[in-house]
Amino acid sequence: MITAGNPSEVKAFAGRLHAVGKRWQGEMFGWSAEYTPESRKKPSSSKMRFTPANFCIGESGIWFFSLMWEHGKNKEPVEFLDDRGIIKE
């Protein structure tokens, strides 16, 4: 059975990575995960003026969760959850 991580633990871990602000890649709750800090580089084909910090964990189509600090590194991140592959009990 595939299980998802505890959302509050995942958010807390991502928040600690964001506070340090250094790139990280590893495994959490058995899922691949990574954090990329904010960059002043403007993304191509975008109206954004910087590349936001981003944390993601999981596998798209099964269970995937991401946080993106698209409003700036000192603002609350935007959350995205795709849990369509998880069977609810």
Side-chain angles (χ1 to χ4, degrees):
M1 177 197 296
I2 295 171
T3 60
N6 178 322
S8 61
E9 288 181 47
V10 172
K11 286 189 232 182
F13 182 73
R16 289 190 298 274
L17 291 171
H18 185 64
V20 173
K22 291 188 179 181
R23 182 179 300 276
W24 175 86
Q25 186 173 7
E27 189 174 292
M28 184 178 188
F29 299 110
W31 297 97
S32 293
E34 68 180 274
Y35 171 79
T36 305
E38 182 178 301
S39 167
R40 294 197 182 274
K41 185 177 178 184
K42 182 183 180 293
S44 61
S45 302
S46 175
K47 293 182 180 182
M48 295 189 84
R49 296 182 178 181
F50 65 97
T51 301
N54 180 17
F55 174 84
C56 59
I57 181 172
E59 181 71 37
S60 185
I62 301 172
W63 180 79
F64 179 84
F65 179 71
S66 70
L67 296 167
M68 184 176 287
W69 285 262
E70 61 186 50
H71 301 292
K73 64 183 175 184
N74 297 320
K75 304 287 183 182
E76 287 297 311
V78 174
E79 296 181 20
F80 173 77
L81 173 64
D82 174 5
D83 63 354
R84 61 188 156 180
I86 301 297
I87 298 171
K88 311 284 192 251
E89 293 185 290

